[in-house]
Amino acid sequence: MTNPIEPDPMTDEAIAWAVRVGDPAFDDWEGFERWLAADPAHAAAYHAASAAEAEMVALLAAEPKARPLPDPAPAPVARPAWRRWTIPAAAALAAAVVGTVAVERQMRPSAPVVYETAAGAHRTVALADGSSAILNGATRLEASGDDARSLTLVHGQATFTVRHDEAHPFRVAVGGASVVDVGTRFDIVRDARETRIAVSEGAVDWQRDGNSVRLNAGRSLRVADGSSQVELADVAPDTVGGWAQGQLSFDGVSLAEAAADLSRTLGTAVAVDAALAHRPVRATVRLDGGAARVMPRFAALTGLRAVRDGAGWRLAASP
Amino acid sequence: MATGLEGVFLQHRAQLLRFLQSHGAGEAAEDLLQEVWLRAARAQAGPIAQPLAYLYRVANNLMLDRHRSQRQAAIRERDWSDATGATAPGRSDEPAGERVLIARETLAQVQATLAALGPRVEQTFRRHRLDGVPQRQIAEELGVSISTVESDLRKATSALVKLRSTWDEG
């Protein structure tokens, strides 16, 4: 009761090791062994710190579970609801992450404005600065509560038409990078581990970790998370964001990606036989008539077969 | 394949033994090394990308578990010998009892401690320790460097260890 143990340098070192060792990617086991061997007290400090931390984590893991997702229109709450979210529901976590980024940038924790669509739905969003965004299905876009020109595409696809303002660039955070407009119409797809950007008018800069790539109209970029390989390609400017005009264009993307685009746009599951997943697709398909019309149409254009698969569809090789 | 893992185990036997000794295994090191092998072989499902790192991980977890059970045994013993100890003979093996009580009284303290560190630190810690997301991925999600993630985790861990130490005095 009298002497709370104050963290001392050895405890700090032990904590630093506990943090490093705690990452699944940790691989400096020999370095860790050397630290432990240097002083028998090191192991004791490491064990004590790890045990104390594990106990705290166990307490947190037992805390009352998440509330339902709040309404997209953010209600003013004294304490942001995301603090309580511990279930790894993608949307909830994404909101949490975005909230944090916004806070970090601006040092003023205003709740972000959330725009969301269900799979198969479209939604046009007028942003406060006069720009607009069209959201494809299964998409989540968040605008900073303090700055309508600072957005985050959490997942899904959106086409942006931007009111250009040199002094105050329009910025979309996506996949750990930023896309900064230079007077523009552009489209972003955010999948689980990958970002794709295509520009139809003007130009954007894609920026990450101090590097920047300029994309002019008619150019597209694709980057996988954690990869330094950025793929650039040409894209027909009039097909960018075509999903919003009732058509989808594929210009050499893999069948698996095309299926994800179809699924998002049509609001139905679209599976692909594993053997076909990497096959490149070049086609433009009209979107009228719903999945029952679009899937056979797409299959006919790509030399495949579209078959019903439970509630969704599967793309298979032609017999 | 078991033979692959076993080969790596045998090849690095001395190294793993040294690791356990540095962990404070003392005379039990040989026995514990056998336990490492049993655990590793039992848990293995399919090929392992980095068998040596995997064996180190198993050994490290074993030593942490060992510390925890020794500590709990020491707490039980203290309670037994403590005249005012609340642990009744028939209930001393109820492992959750103590924790449930602490949970009820102190969850709010833990939450407040994390919240006081700011939203990024709290979120980083929760993502990593509750959701099990690797540090590199958290860095990407938050658009910060990996060293920022590490530093945030150190802050959170440090604050929690400090909080925990204030409870030990009863």
Side-chain angles (χ1 to χ4, degrees):
Chain A
M1 198 87 57
T2 45
N3 292 319
I5 302 155
E6 291 297 329
D8 54 298
M10 192 188 293
T11 301
D12 289 345
E13 275 181 46
I15 286 169
W17 278 110
V19 164
R20 294 185 58 206
V21 172
D23 191 55
F26 177 76
D27 62 359
D28 185 20
W29 291 101
E30 290 176 43
F32 182 44
E33 195 274 328
R34 280 194 297 277
W35 178 76
L36 289 173
D39 183 340
H42 284 175
Y46 170 74
H47 293 154
S50 297
E53 193 258 9
E55 224 177 292
M56 301 292 102
V57 170
L59 286 173
L60 286 170
E63 76 187 330
K65 288 295 185 212
R67 286 96 215 288
L69 211 64
D71 195 80
V77 283
R79 185 170 196 230
W82 59 261
R83 279 173 191 267
R84 300 173 196 280
W85 293 348
T86 55
I87 295 175
L93 288 170
V97 169
V98 167
T100 308
V101 171
V103 168
E104 191 197 5
R105 277 219 187 99
Q106 303 170 5
M107 306 309 290
R108 256 190 63 202
S110 284
V113 182
V114 178
Y115 307 102
E116 262 189 312
T117 52
H122 285 182
R123 179 175 172 190
T124 300
V125 172
L127 299 166
D129 72 322
S131 299
S132 66
I134 309 174
L135 276 54
N136 202 346
T139 295
R140 184 182 179 101
L141 177 72
E142 306 203 358
S144 155
D146 297 318
D147 179 2
R149 289 173 73 81
S150 174
L151 296 107
T152 300
L153 182 64
V154 180
H155 56 78
Q157 180 171 24
T159 295
F160 298 89
T161 303
V162 174
R163 189 185 60 75
H164 186 58
D165 177 353
E166 191 91 311
H168 189 185
F170 186 91
R171 197 174 271 276
V172 183
V174 59
S178 287
V179 180
V180 183
D181 100 285
V182 191
T184 308
R185 187 176 154 80
F186 61 99
D187 186 75
I188 307 180
V189 178
R190 176 63 193 163
D191 285 337
R193 308 287 301 159
E194 182 181 275
T195 301
R196 282 176 279 151
I197 301 162
V199 180
S200 63
E201 290 172 29
V204 300
D205 289 330
W206 176 86
Q207 301 172 347
R208 189 177 72 184
D209 300 339
N211 299 311
S212 181
V213 177
R214 169 67 55 99
L215 292 176
N216 289 311
R219 294 287 281 168
S220 70
L221 172 150
R222 168 213 300 267
V223 61
D225 287 359
S227 166
S228 52
Q229 289 281 100
V230 173
E231 283 178 53
L232 298 172
D234 289 328
V235 60
D238 56 347
T239 66
V240 172
W243 55 268
Q245 276 93 51
Q247 63 178 37
L248 268 182
S249 293
F250 304 104
D251 189 11
V253 301
S254 71
L255 184 60
E257 285 170 43
D261 286 350
L262 285 165
S263 172
R264 187 185 303 115
T265 306
L266 299 171
T268 182
V270 179
V272 174
D273 284 356
L276 304 172
H278 298 293
R279 181 167 167 161
V281 177
R282 290 178 205 287
T284 297
V285 61
R286 282 183 298 115
L287 293 169
D288 53 301
R293 294 287 181 78
V294 175
M295 290 308 298
R297 199 182 285 151
F298 175 81
L301 287 167
T302 49
L304 299 167
R305 245 176 349 127
V307 292
R308 298 301 311 229
D309 185 11
W313 291 82
R314 190 164 54 83
L315 291 165
S318 284
Chain B
M1 284 232 335
T3 48
L5 187 64
E6 188 164 13
V8 173
F9 176 76
L10 294 173
Q11 195 186 331
H12 296 91
R13 202 175 182 289
Q15 200 176 326
L16 291 164
L17 191 65
R18 193 165 65 238
F19 182 66
L20 293 171
Q21 280 160 343
S22 300
H23 245 298
E27 290 177 356
E30 280 285 351
D31 289 345
L32 288 166
L33 188 60
Q34 279 314 302
E35 179 67 24
V36 168
W37 169 245
L38 290 175
R39 278 195 186 196
R42 209 184 302 136
Q44 185 189 12
I48 290 164
Q50 306 203 322
L52 183 57
Y54 170 70
L55 290 167
Y56 266 117
R57 174 74 62 196
V58 172
N60 198 60
N61 289 346
L62 177 66
M63 295 309 287
L64 289 174
D65 290 349
R66 185 166 175 266
H67 168 80
R68 201 168 307 141
S69 56
Q70 283 177 346
R71 191 163 161 278
Q72 274 163 2
I75 289 170
R76 271 200 294 274
E77 199 164 310
R78 187 194 67 187
D79 288 348
W80 273 105
S81 60
D82 183 347
T84 62
T87 309
R91 301 181 52 206
S92 59
D93 282 339
E94 189 178 28
E98 183 191 32
R99 231 173 291 155
V100 167
L101 185 65
I102 292 177
R104 209 174 291 140
E105 292 173 354
T106 60
L107 177 57
Q109 258 180 293
V110 178
Q111 289 169 328
T113 300
L114 274 185
L117 298 170
R120 192 190 66 207
V121 174
E122 175 177 11
Q123 194 56 28
T124 297
F125 184 79
R126 284 174 177 273
R127 279 295 268 159
H128 185 53
R129 295 295 282 125
L130 293 170
D131 302 330
V133 177
Q135 291 171 14
R136 172 160 297 284
Q137 191 180 329
I138 296 172
E140 284 165 16
E141 286 174 354
L142 297 184
V144 299
S145 68
I146 192 120
S147 57
T148 301
V149 169
E150 261 193 39
S151 150
D152 285 354
L153 290 171
R154 278 199 301 272
K155 273 181 215 158
T157 307
S158 186
L160 293 175
V161 168
K162 193 173 175 186
L163 174 67
R164 181 65 187 83
S165 73
T166 63
W167 299 346
D168 273 339
E169 315 307 314

